[in-house]
Amino acid sequence: MHDAPNIVLIGPMGAGKSSLGRRLAERFDLQFVDLDAHIEKDTGVSIPMIFEQEGEQGFRDREQLSLSRALEGEGRLIATGGGVVLREANRLRIRERGFAILLRISVDEQLRRLARDRKRPLLQVPDREQRLKELADQREPLYREVADVVFEADSRSVPESLQRLIPLIRARWVPQGAMG
Ligand code: S3P
């Protein structure tokens, strides 16, 4: 049993962190925090605009701050952006304050799910497949370093993933303090 104050969803773009996160939060009576949405609300501008104005490092600074604030609380389910694991400070913080679930999907499935996406700054390249492969190679070990649970979300619909994730979380996680 893992006792942590929060649940954190990590994993690549398109893995379903936001859509599954919202529903899991409801099921476990947790406050849902979507980090990217939070950053957009805080700054009043979109993620692509932040990338454009401040570069990726500027976005990562905001992301780090936003994650750290979200994790200070408890009883939250936090959906992160795919690059949150890049900074060591974030990885440590997630491990300290969260029960981390890695949602895995293949590059092929990412390509399918994100085919119509024109917003994600890191996908504004001619060869998306190549980009996604590079990101996966770079990030997979970092996701693994943080993950308490690895969940294969690849070929699963949202309802099916939920059906599997709910008992898995029940079996592995209790909110901090609840173990007595
Ligand atoms: C990013 C993923 C995005 C968003 C930003 C950068 C990444 O979030 O944070 O575009 O580095 O993989 P999603 O994983 O929700 O798409």
Side-chain angles (χ1 to χ4, degrees):
M1 257 315 173
H2 191 297
D3 93 329
N6 303 289
I7 294 181
V8 182
L9 298 187
I10 57 173
M13 291 179 258
K17 301 180 295 286
S18 301
S19 48
L20 287 169
R22 186 177 300 282
R23 291 167 176 86
L24 286 171
E26 237 170 66
R27 282 307 258 275
F28 286 90
D29 202 18
L30 300 169
Q31 182 195 349
F32 178 62
V33 179
D34 186 312
L35 273 199
D36 280 347
H38 230 253
I39 295 168
E40 291 188 324
K41 206 169 145 217
D42 256 14
T43 53
V45 290
S46 66
I47 304 282
M49 188 63 92
I50 299 174
F51 268 74
E52 204 179 301
Q53 303 282 318
E54 303 178 356
E56 181 172 347
Q57 289 319 307
F59 170 74
R60 297 293 169 212
D61 290 340
R62 293 186 182 279
E63 182 177 52
Q64 183 173 347
L65 187 67
S66 192
L67 174 75
S68 158
R69 285 202 184 128
L71 283 169
E72 273 167 22
E74 55 186 43
R76 293 179 174 158
L77 190 148
I78 303 165
T80 60
V84 81
V85 292
L86 290 171
R87 291 199 172 170
E88 190 185 9
N90 292 348
R91 302 199 297 277
L92 290 172
R93 205 71 189 119
I94 293 173
R95 293 184 62 169
E96 273 169 15
R97 301 280 304 165
F99 175 66
I101 303 174
L102 167 58
L103 302 179
R104 286 194 76 229
I105 60 167
S106 64
V107 167
D108 281 352
E109 182 67 15
Q110 276 185 291
L111 284 170
R112 271 193 291 276
R113 291 190 192 180
L114 300 170
R116 269 169 299 175
D117 181 274
R118 295 285 167 266
K119 283 205 327 209
R120 287 176 171 85
L122 296 180
L123 293 184
Q124 307 313 307
V125 291
D127 192 342
R128 284 186 162 202
E129 184 174 1
Q130 177 63 22
R131 166 57 61 87
L132 288 171
K133 279 186 179 152
E134 285 164 9
L135 291 175
D137 286 348
Q138 178 195 25
R139 295 173 176 183
E140 178 74 16
L142 305 177
Y143 291 136
R144 297 261 177 190
E145 189 186 310
V146 176
D148 293 299
V149 167
V150 178
F151 182 78
E152 300 293 337
D154 206 53
S155 52
R156 302 200 161 114
S157 64
V158 168
E160 195 192 338
S161 289
L162 273 181
Q163 210 178 26
R164 286 167 185 260
L165 275 166
I166 290 166
L168 196 150
I169 294 172
R170 287 218 173 96
R172 302 283 300 276
W173 176 73
V174 281
Q176 201 173 53
M179 278 205 301

